[in-house]
Amino acid sequence: MARRALPIGPAGWLGAGSASLVLALSFGTLGAVLARSGGWGVLGPADWAAVRFTITQALVSAALSVLLAVPAARALARRQFRGRGLLITLLGAPFILPVIVAVMGLLAVFGRSGLLNGALGALGVAPVSIYGFQGVVLAHVFFNLPLAVRLILQGWLAIPAERFRLAAALGMGPPEIARFLERPMLKETLPGAFLAIFLICLTSFAVALTLGGGPGATTIELAIYQAFRFDFDLGRAATLALAQFAICIAAALAALRLATPSGFGAGLDRRARVQWGADGAALRIADALILTLLSLFLLAPLCAVLAAGLPNLGGLTAPVWFAALRSLGVALASTLVALLLALCLALGIVRLGGGRGRALETIGMLALAASPLVIGTGLFILARPFANPATLALPVTTLVNAVMALPFALRALLPAVRDEDEGYGHLAEALGMRGLTRLRLVTLPRLRRPLGFAAGLAAAMSMGDLGVIALFADPGHATLPLQLYRLMAAYKMGDAAGAAVLLMALSLMLFWLFDRGGRVDADA
Amino acid sequence: MLTLERLEITQEAFHLTADFSITPGARVAIIGPSGAGKSTLLAAIAGFVEPSAGRILWQGRDLGPLAPGKRPLSILFQDQNLFPHLTAAQNAGLGLRCDLRLSPAEMRDVGTALERVGLAGLAARKPATLSGGQQTRVALARTLLQARPLMLLDEPFAALGPAMKAEMLDLLAALAAETGATVLMVSHDPGDALRIADQTILLAGGLARAPQPTGALFAAPPAELAAYLGTPGTRPQRGPHKP
């Protein structure tokens, strides 16, 4: 049915305002860096090698993550078992796990003296190295496979139970359900998941810093860091950031063209038992095996960190605790900013629709393409005339973290906002529910689950972030990840392991609290 | 009085014209083959579809500039008439104040309306825990509370069984009689029209014809209606369009 032409409305203006802010932070800061350097820098052969390495490892990491995630998400969607909720919460863990903590865990399992090589050595097999290409890909799959499972699982859960009931009534088995329900959903979900992971991998630098590095395994973001930190070559950093932008935006445009709405419409939120037609023994065993392997892959590194860190938790010093408080403040503030931006953008995208909506969506995803180091540096350059850099470290980190979390929050919110609009837009309009009334009574209640998930992601990502803060903070303004990094650099490994457990606990707790808040009693 | 003044609705290959008035307090059925535009005509009156030409007037006032919620009408859709996360009382209460900031007196009115439609004691239930008939009653309670002079119904009872549907139609007729509202009801079932509608609009071939007395229309159906009904003895041009 053709929509009546509506004026742009408050949601449209808020969306456009948020988009402008994101644009200013992504491109405006790059402009600030450029203005300061006086022009673009020239890329050397090492920089081009970094560009090639970045694309290759990101493609391989994203493809592996998404391909492995599909059977795992299906198994989680169609099986009920004890600990399922725990496993789903755990799936949020690696992605929201502070990178340094996760790398410590991966080293303990896959490193030179780790569990895997210990087992291989006992069998007389030569040790495998976790460094270089395979290490970077392994770490990226560790971080992003669970994210892919969760994104795809949300797609599965977004198919109304009524559709599965209908499929069961029509006598459909797994192949037909796959064809008529799951593949249309995957077609909508997978490009977004692949792109999100591809972009995370393109711009990730802490993994490359710890497991890569050198001429063969340097990412663009790591090259930017080195340009800032060692050469203070702002021009080359700006050129590298532009190259990163170009690659990411090309990929983003491709994915936006691929994705089409699947049009499942709204269901009545009935808590019906979903009929999958997948009760055969072979399928049950396969699903159990898939979920067991997934759990092992996720749990082993986390357990390794816990084993090393728990005994040292009691001896943590005051600077560690103060750093933890600072990190909590930064995380909560940046979550608030990220959610406000994402909600305004999502409402603007859906209410405006058409080309203007797609433009807003593209801008919302831009932050994935931006370099947090460049955004942070740009903000420092812009704010330096007005404030002391040391006091700026935490506010700038808050803002950068919010922008970095925005694409994930938007991904989580957008499908639900579309459902709300398609399913209940006419009813709300017919009853005269507009503006804040509609937001309070319809939109926010319908968005509780994805809002909780988005808030959890944003808070935990910010909690564990080690990026901009490393370039600018003095000891008095360190966050917990930076404090941990400094302990590791000083070879205080016992304290570092204890701080790692504290950091992991705080990140997971933030995620759990928010995500749980969204899921408890969500449609009752 | 509702007036459709040289109204035209055009959507891609679809075209519909209407030019007539409906007397106040009338109960009018809109009948015709599926795809003829019954729902689209209702959506245009409700303000969800922009007419390509002509005007829709209520008591001589052009409804064109008014948003759907500001029009002097209530509408029930085929489905999605209730918010799943709100209780029966809240869903009905939206008819009084769409921000749900209800005074104690208004809350009592909500309770009275729910009792009137036969839902006493179910005020705190959410839609998923109600039967289809009960969900329909909640929506009817809401339109009762809205107390708008024009009620639009886009086959909201289509999913109900014959006895339940007849019950709802009678309830609707009683509520409309109490409030004096004009009723405009889409249906594909002649039985619905004959049961409660004193007039019927035939919509076929891109034209909505002026309302005629229901009994007379079905007693001597024109060719399009006969074709839709599958009545023998007339000259059907095409087979009946069934969904």
Side-chain angles (χ1 to χ4, degrees):
Chain A
M1 195 181 289
R3 299 278 308 244
R4 203 174 113 89
L6 290 167
I8 288 180
W13 289 116
L14 281 175
S18 308
S20 313
L21 189 62
V22 174
L23 267 185
L25 284 169
S26 314
F27 277 109
T29 49
L30 179 61
V33 172
L34 261 184
R36 179 68 189 270
S37 73
W40 301 102
V42 180
L43 299 188
D47 295 318
W48 287 111
V51 170
R52 282 192 301 275
F53 174 78
T54 300
I55 295 174
T56 314
Q57 61 81 19
L59 278 175
V60 174
S61 303
L64 274 177
S65 299
V66 169
L67 284 180
L68 295 174
V70 171
R74 184 172 51 198
L76 270 175
R78 69 184 175 190
R79 303 293 170 204
Q80 296 291 334
F81 54 90
R82 280 171 71 92
R84 179 176 173 274
L86 190 69
L87 180 54
I88 291 176
T89 305
L90 184 73
L91 284 176
F95 180 72
I96 60 177
L97 201 62
V99 175
I100 306 187
V101 176
V103 166
M104 281 173 78
L106 286 171
L107 283 170
V109 176
F110 299 98
R112 183 159 294 274
S113 52
L115 298 172
L116 178 70
N117 277 327
L120 288 178
L123 294 172
V125 180
V128 294
S129 170
I130 194 179
Y131 295 101
F133 181 85
Q134 65 270 31
V136 170
V137 169
L138 174 74
H140 282 161
V141 172
F142 176 81
F143 287 121
N144 294 305
L145 169 61
L147 170 72
V149 174
R150 284 198 66 133
L151 287 175
I152 297 168
L153 180 62
Q154 285 208 342
W156 243 294
L157 297 182
I159 304 176
E162 283 91 338
R163 304 300 179 276
F164 284 105
R165 218 173 38 181
L166 179 62
L170 294 171
M172 290 184 178
E176 291 81 20
I177 287 180
R179 179 177 161 204
F180 292 110
L181 296 182
E182 297 173 341
R183 253 177 254 154
M185 178 279 294
L186 288 174
K187 210 176 137 193
E188 183 180 16
T189 314
L190 290 191
F194 178 88
L195 174 75
I197 294 168
F198 180 67
L199 292 177
I200 295 163
C201 298
L202 280 181
T203 56
S204 99
F205 105 100
V207 166
L209 181 70
T210 47
L211 296 176
T218 294
T219 60
I220 300 178
E221 191 70 3
L222 182 56
I224 292 174
Y225 175 79
Q226 288 161 350
F228 275 136
R229 177 120 190 154
F230 302 126
D231 311 331
F232 206 69
D233 189 343
L234 291 178
R236 211 174 95 236
T239 310
L240 283 165
L242 193 73
Q244 185 162 294
F245 253 126
I247 297 166
C248 295
I249 286 167
L253 291 178
L256 275 182
R257 290 174 69 96
L258 281 176
T260 49
S262 65
F264 281 112
L268 267 175
D269 285 5
R270 277 199 192 83
R271 291 175 166 274
R273 200 175 86 81
V274 169
Q275 304 286 329
W276 289 88
D279 295 329
L283 285 176
R284 291 162 82 102
I285 292 169
D287 282 352
L289 193 65
I290 287 164
L291 293 179
T292 307
L293 284 175
L294 178 70
S295 310
L296 271 180
F297 180 53
L298 300 183
L299 278 176
L302 299 184
C303 290
V305 171
L306 280 177
L310 276 179
N312 293 298
L313 206 51
L316 290 177
T317 54
V320 173
W321 290 107
F322 280 118
L325 279 180
R326 263 178 234 117
S327 278
L328 275 175
V330 167
L332 292 176
S334 71
T335 300
L336 187 66
V337 176
L339 278 200
L340 279 176
L341 283 175
L343 190 61
C344 290
L345 269 177
L347 290 174
I349 288 165
V350 172
R351 303 277 201 270
L352 288 175
R356 287 185 297 192
R358 274 194 297 280
L360 286 195
E361 189 174 353
T362 311
I363 292 169
M365 298 302 285
L366 264 188
L368 279 175
S371 157
L373 297 177
V374 170
I375 295 182
T377 308
L379 284 174
F380 267 103
I381 290 170
L382 288 172
R384 188 125 75 174
F386 313 107
N388 172 12
T391 61
L392 281 172
L394 292 180
V396 166
T397 303
T398 299
L399 202 52
V400 172
N401 287 350
V403 175
M404 291 299 118
L406 173 63
F408 304 104
L410 191 59
R411 274 276 148 226
L413 289 186
L414 198 50
V417 174
R418 287 213 168 96
D419 284 351
E420 183 261 358
D421 196 65
E422 284 168 16
Y424 302 100
H426 274 183
L427 179 57
E429 276 182 62
L431 292 170
M433 305 170 90
R434 329 192 82 180
L436 287 177
T437 295
R438 170 145 176 204
L439 189 71
R440 177 170 61 90
L441 290 177
V442 187
T443 311
L444 290 181
R446 302 304 307 162
L447 291 184
R448 267 188 60 175
R449 265 168 182 261
L451 270 177
F453 177 62
L457 274 188
M461 283 174 75
S462 178
M463 185 77 207
D465 173 72
L466 175 61
V468 183
I469 193 79
L471 282 177
F472 297 100
D474 59 29
H477 293 86
T479 58
L480 187 52
L482 182 58
Q483 193 66 30
L484 168 56
Y485 182 72
R486 286 178 177 159
L487 287 173
M488 286 170 77
Y491 290 103
K492 295 182 179 170
M493 295 318 287
D495 290 350
V501 170
L502 176 63
L503 180 54
M504 180 162 81
L506 288 175
S507 296
L508 297 188
M509 185 198 72
L510 281 176
F511 177 82
W512 185 82
L513 282 177
F514 281 115
D515 188 49
R516 183 88 188 142
R519 282 191 292 142
V520 160
D521 205 23
D523 23 317
Chain B
M1 185 158 69
L2 178 72
T3 304
L4 308 181
E5 189 184 82
R6 288 190 288 283
L7 184 68
E8 290 185 33
I9 303 165
T10 308
Q11 288 175 357
E12 282 128 40
F14 172 86
H15 188 74
L16 173 68
T17 61
D19 187 24
F20 52 78
S21 292
I22 291 168
T23 48
R27 292 203 294 271
V28 184
I30 305 175
I31 202 156
S34 85
K38 302 188 293 288
S39 297
T40 309
L41 180 61
L42 232 51
I45 297 171
F48 293 114
V49 168
E50 188 111 54
S52 46
R55 296 193 301 167
I56 299 164
L57 305 139
W58 176 254
Q59 315 291 38
R61 182 182 174 206
D62 185 5
L63 296 185
L66 296 182
K70 302 280 183 203
R71 300 191 176 202
L73 55 86
S74 58
I75 182 166
L76 292 186
F77 306 103
Q78 268 182 25
D79 48 18
Q80 315 283 23
N81 281 307
L82 302 178
F83 293 107
H85 57 279
L86 299 181
T87 64
Q90 287 176 312
N91 267 297
L94 288 172
L96 280 181
R97 287 191 61 117
C98 72
D99 60 2
L100 278 185
R101 298 188 199 283
L102 300 174
S103 69
E106 285 168 327
M107 282 193 239
R108 279 195 295 279
D109 291 344
V110 171
T112 311
L114 287 174
E115 278 169 34
R116 172 66 190 87
V117 299
L119 289 178
L122 298 179
R125 299 272 286 270
K126 296 203 173 166
T129 68
L130 296 173
S131 71
Q134 288 169 332
Q135 292 177 14
T136 308
R137 287 173 192 272
V138 175
L140 280 174
R142 190 182 62 218
T143 51
L144 184 61
L145 290 166
Q146 279 182 285
R148 303 283 171 97
L150 180 59
M151 291 171 72
L152 306 183
L153 296 100
D154 189 2
E155 299 201 74
F157 312 141
L160 303 176
M164 181 68 76
K165 188 160 94 167
E167 211 179 313
M168 290 301 141
L169 285 169
D170 292 346
L171 179 58
L172 166 69
L175 296 179
E178 283 166 32
T179 57
T182 307
V183 175
L184 207 50
M185 174 184 81
V186 165
S187 179
H188 64 268
D189 183 352
D192 296 357
L194 288 165
R195 189 171 186 98
I196 68 158
D198 40 29
Q199 298 178 48
T200 294
I201 292 169
L202 173 62
L203 204 166
L207 174 69
R209 299 171 181 219
Q212 298 171 44
T214 304
L217 187 70
F218 282 104
E224 283 96 343
L225 183 56
Y228 172 65
L229 296 171
T231 319
T234 46
R235 190 168 49 85
Q237 285 144 349
R238 278 171 291 164
H241 296 251
K242 283 311 293 175

